[in-house]
Amino acid sequence: MRLSLKLPQRLNRSWTGDILLFLVLAVVACFMALPLVFTISNAFKPLDEIFSFPPKLFVRNPTFKNFSDLIGIFSDSWVPFSRYVFNTFFIAIVGTAGHVVIASAAAYPLAKLTFPGKRFLFGLVVLSLMFTSYVTQVPNYMIISMLGLINTFWAILLPAFGMTLGLYLMKQFMEQIPDALLEAAKIDGASEYRIYWQIVMPIVKPAWLTLIIFSLQNLWTNGSVTSHKYIYSEQLKTVDYVFGQIANGGLARTGPVAAVTLLMMLVPITVFIVTQSNIIQTMSTSGLKE
């Protein structure tokens, strides 16, 4: 009886190449991290260090005065700061959840079902990606005004639900799911709703986690831009709007502005850290093959 041992294949790459590749990646990573490091350091700098020239990357005498000044500004506001925080989280969470559910539900029939006008509808989705938000400002305002949604949260939530980027992303991922898998589920008696919710959605988990990042970041940081157009009541403004008002306060508020910049980064960065493995999987997915 002959035994054949299979030796593991050696990678066709030298140690020198690995080291050079690591060094290049390390340099690029450090360069890309510079703005983040500078922002964090700036939030803890006293005023003399913030205005020093040339600017220093790292803080020498860290202080929390910028944050205490920020709390003092909020205490003088006639609308409680907690109200702005609630508005921001409500818009970000509800807008993101609605966008993910609607985009995935609309993407499933476009990716896996056959019906008249399917190619035309997807063409409209792709075409809509060509227009920037500046082009659609006027028609969007007219539609929301005619619906009577001015000065309500729906003025921000409805456009967020209908962003076509999410639909496009979900459709592209769902197309990679083998048709044989869905046909087997239908033979076993599963309905289209059950196939969508219990089979398709778990498979495309990296896609909708990526969509959560994009949608949450958009609603979190651009909330003030949208609320400027449609919301005029101070009670319905977002944190980003208040931080923008602080930033317009001139040189005297440079320290609180540095603290504000760091605070606005915390939520998107935290969400990214929690879901980063799935984001990377989205970028390098190999897909399923029949």
Side-chain angles (χ1 to χ4, degrees):
M1 183 175 178
R2 294 181 61 185
L3 294 176
S4 61
L5 296 176
K6 244 182 153 179
L7 295 177
Q9 291 184 347
R10 295 184 61 183
L11 295 175
N12 187 20
R13 196 166 65 191
S14 66
W15 282 101
T16 308
D18 288 344
I19 293 172
L20 283 175
L21 180 62
F22 174 78
L23 289 176
V24 170
L25 292 176
V27 170
V28 173
C30 290
F31 180 76
M32 296 181 69
L34 280 179
L36 181 61
V37 173
F38 183 79
T39 302
I40 296 173
S41 176
N42 224 30
F44 297 97
K45 286 179 181 176
L47 275 180
D48 58 333
E49 287 191 36
I50 292 177
F51 288 114
S52 66
F53 187 83
K56 307 295 182 188
L57 180 60
F58 297 106
V59 56
R60 293 180 177 176
N61 302 301
T63 177
F64 287 95
K65 189 174 184 306
N66 296 335
F67 294 93
S68 62
D69 290 345
L70 187 62
I71 294 173
I73 293 172
F74 288 142
S75 63
D76 294 335
S77 174
W78 64 276
V79 176
F81 182 64
S82 58
R83 179 69 190 182
Y84 296 119
V85 174
F86 171 79
N87 294 342
T88 305
F89 274 96
F90 179 81
I91 289 172
I93 293 173
V94 175
T96 300
H99 179 47
V100 172
V101 171
I102 292 174
S104 59
Y108 173 66
L110 283 176
K112 289 299 174 186
L113 300 183
T114 304
F115 56 90
K118 175 181 170 181
R119 292 173 63 87
F120 174 73
L121 288 176
F122 184 64
L124 287 180
V125 172
V126 175
L127 183 64
S128 68
L129 297 175
M130 307 296 173
F131 298 98
T132 65
S133 59
Y134 298 103
V135 177
T136 57
Q137 275 185 7
V138 174
N140 279 347
Y141 185 88
M142 293 176 65
I143 293 171
I144 289 173
S145 177
M146 285 188 292
L147 292 174
L149 300 178
I150 295 295
N151 218 24
T152 65
F153 285 142
W154 287 110
I156 301 176
L157 293 177
L158 278 184
F161 290 167
M163 285 191 294
T164 51
L165 176 63
L167 196 159
Y168 180 81
L169 178 68
M170 296 298 295
K171 177 185 177 293
Q172 297 305 105
F173 257 79
M174 287 180 182
E175 280 185 342
Q176 300 177 23
I177 300 174
D179 292 333
L181 180 65
L182 306 186
E183 291 296 331
K186 288 178 183 176
I187 293 172
D188 288 342
S191 63
E192 290 291 353
Y193 171 76
R194 189 175 179 186
I195 293 172
Y196 156 72
W197 190 249
Q198 294 188 346
I199 298 176
V200 174
M201 286 301 281
I203 292 176
V204 297
K205 180 182 176 184
W208 54 260
L209 283 177
T210 305
L211 196 58
I212 286 175
I213 291 286
F214 289 154
S215 181
L216 186 70
Q217 192 271 342
N218 180 57
L219 290 169
W220 182 261
T221 58
N222 295 329
S224 66
V225 177
T226 312
S227 62
H228 258 319
K229 303 172 191 169
Y230 306 120
I231 293 180
Y232 307 113
S233 171
E234 193 70 21
Q235 298 278 350
L236 301 178
K237 297 287 187 183
T238 60
V239 172
D240 193 31
Y241 167 80
V242 180
F243 287 169
Q245 297 300 307
I246 295 173
N248 293 331
L251 293 177
R253 290 185 174 177
T254 303
V257 169
V260 160
T261 308
L262 175 61
L263 292 176
M264 287 304 295
M265 291 169 51
L266 287 181
V267 170
I269 288 178
T270 303
V271 174
F272 175 75
I273 290 173
V274 172
T275 60
Q276 63 173 328
S277 60
N278 291 283
I279 301 297
I280 294 171
Q281 186 181 349
T282 302
M283 303 302 176
S284 60
T285 182
S286 58
L288 297 174
K289 295 181 180 177
E290 295 186 71

